């Protein structure tokens, strides 16, 4: 899909104003588009930026039977057209019963995809993913070989990921095989080389996002980007989109009228608790799984609470403008469009947004 051409700033502001009106409606009547299932917090990589600090620590995990009971209720209450199910982790394929869960989701009639590091996707796994109905997958490739393996602290990880991606492509059966790259100080100089490399890989899209100060990344401030890095990254994305490359910035942050619609297909809207909910590996109910699971942001647990009732009546922190909680945001001229930014990067101790591109991009 080719991106749209540049739009005048006044046209963008009209669009963003219409989206702001729609966001107010979502506060009153949310629409569950995506349901993320964190199957495990186990992972075979140790990424320096991991928002969930995944690794060897085994936390409580729901059984396939518990997922079946929960998803049967979701099907009864919501149908299967929406929500789309996204399996995530940790690394979802670390679960020995992963394909049992995948087959069950497929048999229930849900559309589903997953996020993965792809290191465990051999030819047999790719065939099973096709057979059990996976439509989309986002695979992490965080730079060229050396920087990827260093950032993810996994010798041989880049080669294994690229083999996994090729095994998926060879099936010619998936709607979107996407590569996601987290840009940080250690790999920003490799963007053009990655672009040239990916021109020879038959992926469907390349998602380029910036490292955020969450999870393990808080322990590595030296990896965070500065203002010049941000402008360089967004200029790169906009340029490649104009050339027809299916590259996009994620939904993470508000970018101002200059870059909105230039680096992604639509405008910023934090989906947490409005379009998106997430179920943690122990059954806890939350919004975006990148949001810290702290008291006040856990809505209940599917083993004891009715998810549908909570979705309809709960999620109160997400059904309002986050800007109202941040003194610096309340009087900002961009508040109507930004609404305080993304929930996953909000500091709920200091009650302030950690990632704001005002004065950086606009």
């Amino acid at each position: 899909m080719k991106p749209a051409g540049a739009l005048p700033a006044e046209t963008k502001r009209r669009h963003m104003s219409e989206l702001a009106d729609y966001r107010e409606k979502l506060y009153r009547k949310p629409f569950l588009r995506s349901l993320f299932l964190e199957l495990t917090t186990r992972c075979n990589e140790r990424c320096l930026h991991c928002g969930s600090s995944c690794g060897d620590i085994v936390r409580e995990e729901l059984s396939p039977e518990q997922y079946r009971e929960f998803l049967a209720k979701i099907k009864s209450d919501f149908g299967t057209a929406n929500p789309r199910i996204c399996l995530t982790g940790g690394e979802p394929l670390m679960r020995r019963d992963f394909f049992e869960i995948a087959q069950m989701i497929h048999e229930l009639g849900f559309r589903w995809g997953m996020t993965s590091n792809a290191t465990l996707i051999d030819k047999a796994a790719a065939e099973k993913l096709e057979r059990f109905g996976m439509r989309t997958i986002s695979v992490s490739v965080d730079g060229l070989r050396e920087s990827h393996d260093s950032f993810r602290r996994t010798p041989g990880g880049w080669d294994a990921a690229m083999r996994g991606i090729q095994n998926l492509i060879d099936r010619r059966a998936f709607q979107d095989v996407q590569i996601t790259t987290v840009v940080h100080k250690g790999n920003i100089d490799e963007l053009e080389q990655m672009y040239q490399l990916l021109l020879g890989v038959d992926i469907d899209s390349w998602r380029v996002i910036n490292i955020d100060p969450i999870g393990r990344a808080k322990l590595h401030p030296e990896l965070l980007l500065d203002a010049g890095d941000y402008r360089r990254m967004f200029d790169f994305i906009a340029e490649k989109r104009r050339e027809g490359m299916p590259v996009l910035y994620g939904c993470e942050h508000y970018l101002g009228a200059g870059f909105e619609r230039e680096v992604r297909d639509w405008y910023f809207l934090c989906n947490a608790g409005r379009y998106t909910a997430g179920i943690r590996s122990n059954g806890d109910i939350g919004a975006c799984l990148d949001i810290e699971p702290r008291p006040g942001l856990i809505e209940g647990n599917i083993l004891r609470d009715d998810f549908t009732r909570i979705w309809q009546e709960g999620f109160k922190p997400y059904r309002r403008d986050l800007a109202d909680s941040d003194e610096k945001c309340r009087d900002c001229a961009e508040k109507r469009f930004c609404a305080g930014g993304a929930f996953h990067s909000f500091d709920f101790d200091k009650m302030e947004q950690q990632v704001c591109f005002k004065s950086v991009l606009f």
Side-chain angles (χ1 to χ4, degrees):
M1 177 178 59
K2 284 193 174 185
L7 293 175
E10 59 269 23
T11 301
K12 293 181 182 181
R13 288 189 173 276
R14 175 168 53 81
H15 288 168
M16 290 190 292
S17 183
E18 292 170 356
L19 181 60
D21 290 339
Y22 179 67
R23 186 181 67 241
E24 293 290 333
K25 294 179 181 178
L26 281 176
Y27 294 165
R28 300 188 297 273
K29 191 175 181 180
F31 178 58
L32 186 62
R33 283 184 173 177
S34 300
L35 180 59
F36 285 76
L37 304 181
E38 179 192 66
L39 297 188
T40 182
T41 57
R42 288 176 286 150
C43 191
N44 58 343
E45 299 190 323
R46 306 290 182 273
C47 306
L48 293 176
H49 71 303
C50 182
S52 300
S53 299
C54 295
D56 292 326
I57 298 175
V58 179
R59 297 169 190 159
E60 184 180 355
E61 296 177 357
L62 299 176
S63 69
E65 293 73 23
Q66 288 169 326
Y67 279 120
R68 181 181 295 276
E69 181 179 355
F70 169 67
L71 290 173
K73 179 70 160 50
I74 294 294
K75 178 178 180 178
S76 175
D77 292 348
F78 293 90
T80 57
N82 284 294
R84 182 177 70 92
I85 307 299
C86 182
L87 304 183
T88 186
E91 170 51 51
L93 287 162
M94 291 289 287
R95 285 191 62 142
R96 293 183 178 180
D97 55 6
F98 171 85
F99 288 108
E100 179 183 350
I101 296 171
Q103 182 176 11
M104 174 261 294
I105 293 171
H106 182 50
E107 291 175 347
L108 284 171
F110 288 102
R111 297 176 302 130
W112 71 277
M114 67 182 292
T115 59
S116 173
N117 59 39
T119 59
L120 302 177
I121 301 179
D122 56 17
K123 293 184 182 297
E127 186 277 328
K128 286 184 180 179
L129 291 170
E130 176 186 354
R131 188 184 346 143
F132 297 143
M134 186 187 77
R135 292 191 179 188
T136 63
I137 184 168
S138 185
V139 177
S140 299
V141 179
D142 295 317
L144 301 177
R145 181 181 285 106
E146 184 177 347
S147 60
H148 172 97
D149 289 359
S150 174
F151 184 62
R152 303 183 77 82
R153 294 191 285 185
T154 309
W158 190 90
D159 289 318
M162 297 304 289
R163 283 195 300 271
I165 291 166
Q166 192 59 52
N167 288 333
L168 293 165
I169 292 171
D170 289 345
R171 301 304 304 179
R172 299 189 179 278
F174 306 109
Q175 179 180 334
D176 190 356
V177 176
Q178 179 184 81
I179 284 177
T180 292
T181 298
V182 176
V183 179
H184 56 86
K185 278 288 189 182
N187 68 2
I188 189 168
D189 290 335
E190 299 178 348
L191 285 176
E192 182 61 34
Q193 291 172 278
M194 285 196 69
Y195 170 71
Q196 297 299 329
L197 173 72
L198 295 180
L199 286 176
V201 183
D202 191 22
I203 58 171
D204 298 290
S205 60
W206 181 23
R207 180 170 169 257
V208 177
I209 59 177
N210 54 274
I211 188 171
D212 275 333
I214 62 174
R216 284 198 193 111
K218 288 184 176 181
L219 304 176
H220 299 279
E222 74 279 2
L223 293 175
L224 301 180
L225 303 178
D226 59 34
D229 296 327
Y230 283 125
R231 289 192 292 270
R232 179 180 171 191
M233 182 188 73
F234 289 120
D235 282 336
F236 171 85
I237 297 172
E239 175 190 345
K240 299 311 180 188
R241 285 172 65 84
R242 287 192 294 269
E243 294 176 3
M245 173 70 170
V247 59
L248 68 154
Y249 182 66
C251 63
E252 283 81 0
H253 303 294
Y254 174 67
L255 308 178
F259 279 102
E260 289 289 340
R261 268 294 293 274
E262 305 307 310
V263 297
R264 55 188 166 209
D265 295 337
W266 198 238
Y267 301 92
F268 170 73
L269 171 65
C270 185
N271 292 339
R274 300 154 186 182
Y275 281 139
T276 298
I279 308 301
R280 297 193 176 272
S281 63
N282 65 351
D284 281 350
I285 301 169
C288 170
L289 291 174
D290 283 335
I291 298 171
E292 181 184 1
R294 58 188 294 146
L297 297 178
I298 297 296
E299 300 289 324
N301 187 287
I302 65 170
L303 299 181
R304 62 176 182 270
D305 301 304
D306 182 80
F307 173 85
T308 302
R309 180 188 60 78
I310 290 175
W311 176 255
Q312 293 171 344
E313 302 175 7
F315 287 88
K316 298 301 184 185
Y318 310 98
R319 311 268 166 90
R320 60 178 180 82
D321 280 3
L322 191 55
D324 294 334
S325 299
D326 186 339
E327 290 184 3
K328 296 192 299 293
C329 294
R330 289 173 190 159
D331 299 321
C332 177
E334 302 292 316
K335 172 186 174 182
R336 175 164 169 75
F337 308 138
C338 176
F343 275 87
H344 78 274
S345 58
F346 195 80
D347 187 326
F348 285 93
D349 292 318
K350 297 180 179 179
M351 298 305 290
E352 63 182 24
Q353 180 57 250
Q354 299 180 92
V355 180
C356 175
F357 289 120
K358 185 177 181 181
S359 78
V360 175
L361 301 179
F362 60 94

